[in-house]
Amino acid sequence: MMIIDFFYGLAFGGLGLAAYLQYRQAGELPLKKQLPWLAAFGFAYGTTGWIEMFLVSDVSTELSEALMVLRIILQPLSGLLLLIFGWGTLTQMPLPSWAIFIPGILIVPIAFVITYALTTFITPSPIGIPVDIWSRYLMYLPGSILAGIGFLRQWHAQREHGYRDVGNLMLGAGIAFLFEAFVVGLVVPAAPYGPASYYNYDRSIYNAFLGEQSGVFKPYGLTSWLDYARVLETTGVPIQFWRMLSAISVTFFVVRALGVFDRIKKRQVQALQEERDRAQKMAFEAEIAARQTAENWTEVLVNVSQRITEFANVDSILLYIVENARKLLQSDFIAIALINDDYACLELKCFSKDGMTEMVDNSMIVENPLILNVLLTSRPYRSQENESPESLENVCFCNGQSANAVAVVPLCLENNPIGALWIAREEKELYSETDLIWLACLADQVVIAIQHGLMASRLQSLSVIEERARIAREMHDGLAQVLGYLNLQVQTLTALLEQNKLKALQSELRQMREAIQVAHADVRENILSLRTTLANEKGLASSIKEYLEEFGIQTGVETQFVNGLEEELNLSSLAEVQLVCILQEALTNVRKHANAKKVEILLTKEKENEGDYIRFKVWDDGIGFASCDSKRSFGLQTMRERAHSVGGKLIVQSTPGKGTRVECRLPCLQQENIRKQTIVYP
């Protein structure tokens, strides 16, 4: 029997230690608030089991009495601690609505039992008997039942959460506590109370109380239907064995359940880790999407900048902007409207919708108050959730559908409004501030394209004026002088004819013929220069090749053109103009002064630290000239000025009798500089 009591106390002591250690761990566990009560109960009731072990052993009378007093104190205390733990376990989860009637239902029988218990304390019996029995009836029994029901509710809850292994342990703990309620809370020593009823009660009950630990002693004259003797009689095994079995079951399932709480915690940590991984993945995907969006925007803005610097057609640039902006901003409609020349109204210039992008040929006046207000205030606008549908009407031209989200930015040139750029969606997904910033970037590109278009027109006009002035100078220096010379020669021929000087007349005619041939060559060269245009769709290199072939046919000089470029010339429009003019001037000198039979032109691209350069060389096998030759000094000076005006450099090398070499270096456009100057990132 001592061994049974030892393991009985050891089981509950282990339960208390496990609960205490689990409580000391960090983190919020499901039953953490109730674990101190469970630990205290385990220690208290385990101590009670070990006291009973000593009571049945051979100990002194003084020690036995002290242990009895300690047992009388610990028995109701452990029952009270179990009752508190059981109630806390039951209420750990929300109770059903009908639970509010439990206090009212139980208050009458509980009051009756407590009154009956108090009356038994005044009966002539040892105090230890009623304390032991009623602490079991009033505290241990309901505490075990409440704890069992609480664990059963936890079993149901864990199954709903998918933790079947945890739920099974909770089920075992609940059943173990209910069994504990029976073998400890209901089965009591033989006594004249409750289920342990009696007749013929005498003082031998006290002796029975002291000897009941053996499980075989039945006091004289005592008859009951639920006490230690009845259990022994029914099962053949003393109640101490069943209590030990119950204690081991409770300890096993509860300790395992508490250990599983760590697994729940780990699962929660794992779930949080997975949630964090998902959040990181979503953030990474969002970052990739944002980066891809930024790259798409950068590509579009760079392409727009390149088209602008290449002086592409303004209409084509605007169409490219609206087509790509509609895709990037995920809009159903986008349009550009400009103030007309009379500053009288706002006219639609171009739009893009449903995959269709068009320029507007006919005058379409924009009268939407929202767009006009943005134009007047020069402030961007985007629709909000509380926007009235009437204010968004007539925003989508050529569409016939209403808009639920709109964003508008003004087009300002030198702080003066010249138009508006707006986008619209049929869905109710509003535009963000970032969308508005990107739209403002596109508005800047639209303004730059329009401004460059105006500059291109001015440059074209200046180029025409400059070319006319050059041709006028050459006609004045060439054709006009020849015509004047011919006028004088005609007079001379008339005089020689009257004097009948035929030999002198023939000599003058030869000179006139030579002068006319020179004038004719000048006129044809001027015509060829006028026919060479930068607007040739074949490109500048192809135009130079055609020009050289025509030059060779007209002058009889053998020409050879070597194009060392694998890609297009990345020159500004003005630099291309100056390159052609320098070539024309160099070939004019070859025709007029070099007396050459062959001329070779080389076009290459070179990379240096400062950037890329186009190198243009012209060789001839003519007579050459000295550096002080005045015939070519004016033309060479003009060629140098042309090269310097676009940041280039001109080198002329010539030796009398060994030909002439003209070398010109012109800088290419730098893409990095274009990006930095024309792109503003939001």
Side-chain angles (χ1 to χ4, degrees), residues 39-54:
F41 162 73
F43 290 137
Y45 205 66
T47 303
T48 303
W50 283 326
I51 289 175
E52 291 179 354
M53 177 187 67
F54 286 109

Side-chain angles (χ1 to χ4, degrees), residues 263-460:
R263 294 172 57 187
I264 296 176
K265 180 181 177 181
K266 292 180 180 179
R267 291 182 183 180
Q268 292 175 348
V269 172
Q270 183 179 1
L272 292 176
Q273 181 69 27
E274 293 176 354
E275 184 66 24
R276 188 189 69 176
D277 293 341
R278 284 194 297 269
Q280 290 179 348
K281 183 179 179 180
M282 294 176 60
F284 181 70
E285 292 176 351
E287 182 180 356
I288 293 177
R291 183 177 299 177
Q292 183 64 40
T293 301
E295 290 178 356
N296 294 337
W297 275 103
T298 301
E299 181 181 0
V300 170
L301 294 175
V302 168
N303 290 336
V304 172
S305 301
Q306 289 179 345
R307 292 168 184 252
I308 291 174
T309 54
E310 293 171 359
F311 287 92
N313 182 268
V314 177
D315 290 348
S316 65
I317 296 176
L318 297 183
L319 290 175
Y320 179 83
I321 289 176
V322 296
E323 180 180 3
N324 287 274
R326 184 180 60 82
K327 297 177 181 178
L328 291 174
L329 292 172
Q330 300 178 356
S331 302
D332 299 312
F333 180 82
I334 181 171
I336 297 175
L338 300 176
I339 298 176
N340 63 358
D341 297 335
D342 299 332
Y343 292 92
C345 60
L346 187 65
E347 295 182 353
L348 188 66
K349 181 69 175 178
C350 63
F351 67 92
S352 177
K353 70 175 184 66
D354 300 331
M356 179 180 63
T357 305
E358 293 182 359
M359 298 297 299
V360 179
D361 297 330
N362 301 325
S363 177
M364 296 184 63
I365 301 176
V366 179
E367 298 179 342
N368 184 273
L370 189 150
I371 300 175
L372 295 178
N373 183 63
V374 171
L375 186 64
L376 293 175
T377 59
S378 298
R379 294 180 179 178
Y381 162 85
R382 66 184 182 95
S383 58
Q384 305 296 328
E385 294 183 357
N386 55 354
E387 202 79 30
S388 62
E390 293 78 11
S391 62
L392 304 181
E393 292 180 353
N394 301 324
V395 172
C396 301
F397 284 77
C398 310
N399 199 345
Q401 296 181 352
S402 60
N404 291 305
V406 177
V408 189
V409 293
L411 304 176
C412 296
L413 179 60
E414 298 178 354
N415 296 326
N416 294 320
I418 62 172
L421 171 65
W422 71 94
I423 51 178
R425 285 180 183 151
E426 297 176 6
E427 300 178 357
K428 293 185 178 181
E429 183 181 357
L430 300 177
Y431 290 103
S432 64
E433 287 291 340
T434 303
D435 295 333
L436 201 62
I437 293 174
W438 283 120
L439 192 63
C441 291
L442 289 176
D444 293 338
Q445 296 297 312
V446 171
V447 173
I448 293 173
I450 295 173
Q451 192 173 18
H452 273 242
L454 297 175
M455 291 174 58
S457 299
R458 294 174 184 174
L459 286 175
Q460 187 175 6

Side-chain angles (χ1 to χ4, degrees), residues 28 73 104 117 174 177 239 337 388 396 414 423 438 460 492 499 652 659:
E28 291 294 332
I73 297 174
F177 265 110
I239 189 62
S388 62
C396 301
E414 298 178 354
I423 51 178
W438 283 120
Q460 187 175 6
T492 302
Q499 296 174 9
V652 180

